Amino acid sequence: MEREKGFAYCGLACCLCSENSNCPGCRKEGCNNKQWCKNFNCCKEKGIKGCWECDQFPCKGTMLDKPRVLAFSRFLALYGEEKFLECLKRNEQTGILYHHEGKLTGDYDEKQTEKEIFDLILYGKA
């Protein structure tokens, strides 16, 4: 896990992204597709760390429309980045995958509700 990459503005874990190992992370302008990303542009404009800090959270028509992304952002709002990193690291060490091999989806995407995603983050129950 590359802690320095941290989290994207939307709440995704850049620190666990397997798409591009050379990417420094979303908040360090590493994402190649940031021009189309409403979350990236909005957070940059507002000068906030992520959607979870916005007074209009959650907004529609963004990455937050995806259940995993919305749950991750809500988790960050409630528990903070350090707690989230600790949970993700523990889960990774016990075999819970952020991305399945060759895909951009993983165990967190298989959950249907925010509660199920929170439980997986907090307790590592796959």
Side-chain angles (χ1 to χ4, degrees):
M1 179 183 305
E2 298 184 45
R3 288 178 79 93
E4 66 275 358
K5 287 187 179 186
F7 296 95
Y9 287 112
C10 64
L12 286 175
C14 293
C15 56
L16 291 175
C17 181
S18 62
E19 185 172 12
N20 181 353
S21 61
N22 297 321
C23 175
C26 170
R27 293 194 296 195
K28 294 181 183 171
E29 308 227 9
C31 183
N32 292 331
N33 299 320
K34 62 184 170 276
Q35 297 80 12
W36 66 264
C37 183
K38 292 178 183 179
N39 303 89
F40 176 91
N41 292 312
C42 182
C43 289
K44 289 283 288 181
E45 183 180 303
K46 291 181 178 183
I48 57 177
K49 284 179 152 183
C51 297
W52 58 93
E53 292 185 347
C54 185
D55 59 359
Q56 297 174 350
F57 174 80
C59 56
K60 297 286 183 198
T62 69
M63 292 289 288
L64 297 173
D65 291 341
K66 299 176 181 180
R68 172 180 58 136
V69 180
L70 179 59
F72 280 15
S73 201
R74 284 192 202 275
F75 191 94
L76 285 161
L78 290 170
Y79 296 98
E81 292 185 44
E82 279 304 309
K83 175 71 173 176
F84 199 8
L85 284 169
E86 289 170 18
C87 291
L88 290 172
K89 183 177 182 180
R90 181 205 62 230
N91 288 350
E92 184 179 46
Q93 290 170 345
T94 61
I96 296 171
L97 300 175
Y98 186 73
H99 286 161
H100 293 296
E101 186 71 33
K103 297 182 179 180
L104 292 179
T105 57
D107 293 328
Y108 298 96
D109 297 282
E110 295 170 3
K111 302 301 176 189
Q112 301 299 311
T113 68
E114 188 172 291
K115 182 182 180 339
E116 289 176 328
I117 296 169
F118 267 50
D119 285 349
L120 183 57
I121 295 168
L122 284 168
Y123 311 115
K125 296 177 182 174

